Amino acid sequence: MKGYSVKSIDSYECKDWLLNKHYAKRLCSISYSFGLFNINNVLQGVCTFGFPPNYNYNNGKCVFNDYECLTLELNRLVVNDGLPSNSLSYFVSSCLKMLPKPSCIVSYADQNQGHNGYIYQATNWIYTGTSTPKHKYIFEDGSSFDIRRGLENKGKVVDKILMEPTHRYLFFNGTKNDKKTMRKCLKMKTEPYPKGKNKRYDASYKPTTQAKLF
């Protein structure tokens, strides 16, 4: 994409973006991180990949039958507003090309945030339905948490709300033969892409950025 480039960055450079600009407002496991830079080498977005919490490093059972490869999750993607319309597709496609191969990448689009995963559809990921629904836990002080782990540090739970399941996408990263084998060994059922109106969240926060020398 003219005027933009994608480069590997250190995970600490993502911290401000993830804690303050991404809707989740929390850090995640990061094994690979990339930045979208404009013509002046100023960071315009971050994309991170880590090991999925419910998958083995070399998954032989979670995704495939009789096939093992590196499994990663695209766990955070956030960019500044006002970028060209094809920026996200360019960014994600470039990041995938820079990951180790062969590998299987999984990512989720959260229906509770009004997301359908159109960026994954635009970059030819495989849709495999929805994940197991989770609960949101409401605490005495009015705060909430949607992951059961760590509840003992948050006080008494006063309510439990069943959340919408998340859309699950897979991307097979490798040679034509790698992809053919992955598709043949895939144990999950592929389904048509989901459709619906996306809901935008407030991403107006301006992370502290400066031009980088490469």
Side-chain angles (χ1 to χ4, degrees), residues 118-126 169-172 183 193:
Y118 289 137
I119 180 57
Y120 308 122
Q121 297 179 25
T123 47
N124 299 314
W125 292 52
I126 297 170
Y169 290 86
L170 298 177
F171 187 86
F172 298 155
R183 185 173 284 275
Y193 285 149

Side-chain angles (χ1 to χ4, degrees), residues 4 6 22 25 44 81 85 91 95 111 119 122 124 152 169 189 195 202:
Y4 290 84
V6 177
H22 191 273
K25 298 291 190 294
Q44 299 296 307
D81 292 332
S85 59
F91 190 18
C95 292
Q111 293 188 82
I119 180 57
N124 299 314
E152 65 276 6
Y169 290 86
K189 181 181 177 181
K195 301 298 180 182
D202 182 9

